[in-house]
Amino acid sequence: MAGDFATKTKTYAVPVILFSLSMLYQLVILPRAFPPSHYDALGIKTYSSIEEVKEAFENLESKWNSGLEVPTTTEFIKIRYAYELLTNPIWKRNYDVFGINEQDHVLEKLSQQYAGEKFYNIELPLLHADASDTGDYAFNVITSKEFQSMFQDSKPWLLQVYSSSSNRSAQFANSWKRIAALLNGFANIGMVELGEIEIAAYLAERKPMGQFFFRNGLPSVLAFPSGCKTSDCLIRFEGELSVDAVTDWFAMTILNLPRIFYYTKESLGPRFLAKSSPHTVKVIFFSKTGERTTPIIRQAAKNYWNYATFACVLWREEEFSVWWNAFGVESAPAVVFLKDPGLKPLVYHGPMNDSWFLDVLEQNKQQELPQLRSLTSEELGCDARGYSRAGRDTLTWYCAILAGRLGPDLDSMRETMRRVQETLSKSSELNAATEDEHSITASVALTSKRLTLSWLDGEMQKNYCFFYLNTENSIETCGPRRVPTDVPRLFIIRYERNATEDTFKVEKKAKSIWEFHQQEVDPAAQLSVTYNGSAEVSQIIQWMSNIIKDGDSRKLPFYRVKTPELVPEDVEPFWSRAPQGILSKSMGAKQKIQRIIIFIYDYLGDPRIGPALLLGSLMSYGSIWLMKNQLKHKVQSSQPSQADDNDKSRLRERRPKRNVSKHNLPPSITDFEPRNSYQMPLSDSDSDSD
């Protein structure tokens, strides 16, 4: 018996489950998705006119005054609230079309406040229409006519849907103005009043049954990315309405700008300074408020990622000594530029505007002693395929390069070369530092931009380094560290261009392999000399001056070769390698799960789900019943046919077998004629009888 019950339960499990879900949905879930409306509180049909609302309330009020009915406090508050809401034209429009009712918290508040009181003791009115003048805070309001032509610009759009009677919209006004100022130049800013029904409905979300709504109420912030011209591709802001949150969302999601992270005194060193590339300038912002950086700074971080890395620090007074000893920061706001190792940080205190910051960043994007990189070789004039910093008319120029592996030895020599550069840039200090008049040559060459001082990462640029320092001791300077000692080396390259060849250069096809090889060499001739003296500033300056003087006065061989390419140091920005994944356009797992939950929640209010589940239950039950009946019919029809088969088998057993072999059977007259047979002659008696 128990086995039969278990079998039936298993057989009808699907229809039973579907039927239970349909009942649960219809009796529990659906009523919660469609709570009684304010029209139900007045006992009138949905979307009734204001006159019908007033009439219904007056009828109820007359009953209360006559004593026929005495409402409870909670009932009176609900009815009175519905009356005040639905007799205000703007509130009624917002409620009827978009389901907006931003004052519903008043119901619970008043019910608790007047609990135990008589209904006539409740202070009226319940709602206060503090409608603000639209002109007080609205700007760039978009109408239906303007909406059609607003997407002609390639800039993205940031829109706010608001209502002139919404207190939340009025409270957000100052923040919206601040957002518009921060995004000026990056996006078009607009506002849509809820009274523009067609535009507001176009921008609103839709429930499964077609009702328009704004999930988070008003104001609603949304954006059209660049190139997006329909509501299918617009993106809605779903976070907390604040200047920092909206700006950060728009900068990252719409503008695809990086987020500059905040670090503490404990994390700044290991997570930022240690992980940043050694060839980039470190820019650190100190903030009192903790707000994220503006889009201008984010755009600068994106444009200058090859030159600088950015970080933010929240200023705390108790950490004053830490930041003063580390960078010399006295207060916030401030911005710090960390350039060469051992060099004093460059600190700017006080508020800064965008244009000032961009100018300062451009001036300080390079280290004091610039690094020779694939990105900066032509800019520094240290490229045989390029020209001098002095201009294309300069035919002879020089580049002094300090090569070595990153470490204390290279840092010490870089400091020496910075002092050489500083001494050469100041002629008065040069005269005081050396008595050799020939050293003035290097100062003049540096001032006229014919001489550049730079440093080279010998480990990263090993091919380039070995090309110029091709000696038995070059492994101490170039390539991976194979020996315990690191020896930075200084060498100078003399570049020379042929003015006649540059002027009359005609592109032609190579006729032979030798001509092809000749076309592959760099256009500028190169001669390099390695410095073997001491690390004294005066000695280095005198050596460079002698090299420049000799290179300018003598006719040297015009020797051209193919220089190895410099290897790019970074293939991706520092912020794209951050663990937070700040620039990923695809949604994260958490956001996708939230989207799925929201989608399911929206469809729980679809009244078609209950009947669909019930129909599925009935169809499932019907399919099972039909299958069982068909199986039963097959079983019954198979029984008589089986009896007939048994009778036929018995009959076959009674009959002689015809398939028995005829071998060794006696012949009969019906058989074929035997092989040895013959015709007997007839006798006379037989003939007479015939």
Side-chain angles (χ1 to χ4, degrees), residues 229-425:
K229 298 182 179 181
T230 65
S231 61
D232 296 333
C233 52
L234 68 82
I235 302 175
R236 304 180 188 277
F237 175 72
E238 298 177 353
E240 180 185 357
L241 288 174
S242 66
V243 175
D244 190 42
V246 175
T247 306
D248 181 61
W249 164 78
F250 191 85
M252 289 185 59
T253 307
I254 309 301
L255 300 177
N256 197 29
L257 296 178
R259 173 184 288 171
I260 301 176
F261 294 104
Y262 272 83
Y263 297 89
T264 62
K265 63 179 181 179
E266 294 83 11
S267 63
L268 183 66
R271 294 188 179 180
F272 175 69
L273 298 178
K275 292 185 178 181
S276 301
S277 299
H279 58 264
T280 58
V281 176
K282 284 73 177 174
V283 184
I284 305 174
F285 299 94
F286 286 83
S287 171
K288 282 185 177 180
T289 61
E291 287 187 354
R292 301 200 179 273
T293 50
T294 63
I296 287 287
I297 296 178
R298 293 171 184 241
Q299 185 67 56
K302 187 175 183 179
N303 295 340
Y304 285 83
W305 72 269
N306 266 311
Y307 297 95
T309 51
F310 296 77
C312 292
V313 173
L314 179 61
W315 176 264
R316 292 185 175 92
E317 293 296 336
E318 59 270 19
E319 298 176 353
F320 165 79
S321 60
V322 176
W323 304 123
W324 169 255
N325 294 329
F327 308 122
V329 179
E330 298 178 354
S331 61
V335 57
V336 177
F337 289 85
L338 301 179
K339 304 177 86 172
D340 301 37
L343 191 65
K344 184 179 179 181
L346 189 61
V347 183
Y348 295 93
H349 289 94
M352 60 180 180
N353 57 52
D354 296 334
S355 60
W356 174 87
F357 172 75
L358 294 178
D359 293 340
V360 173
L361 180 61
E362 179 64 28
Q363 296 170 8
N364 295 280
K365 69 178 183 179
Q366 295 277 14
Q367 297 173 342
E368 286 296 319
L369 182 67
Q371 182 186 6
L372 180 59
R373 304 160 53 195
S374 59
L375 183 71
T376 62
S377 59
E378 291 190 14
E379 183 181 354
L380 296 176
C382 299
D383 192 343
R385 292 172 288 274
Y387 295 86
S388 169
R389 291 190 302 138
R392 291 177 174 264
D393 297 335
T394 303
L395 301 180
T396 305
W397 70 97
Y398 304 86
C399 186
I401 303 173
L402 173 66
R405 285 187 284 264
L406 297 176
D409 297 324
L410 180 62
D411 292 345
S412 176
M413 196 60 189
R414 284 171 63 183
E415 185 177 357
T416 300
M417 292 304 296
R418 285 198 304 270
R419 286 191 281 117
V420 169
Q421 182 175 253
E422 184 179 358
T423 304
L424 289 175
S425 62

Side-chain angles (χ1 to χ4, degrees), residues 30-44 46 78 81-82 85-86 95 101 104 107:
L30 191 60
R32 293 183 180 180
F34 290 90
S37 68
H38 295 296
Y39 290 98
D40 296 330
L42 293 169
I44 55 178
T46 307
K78 289 182 178 180
Y81 179 92
L85 176 72
L86 299 177
Y95 180 74
N101 180 20
D104 55 353
L107 286 171

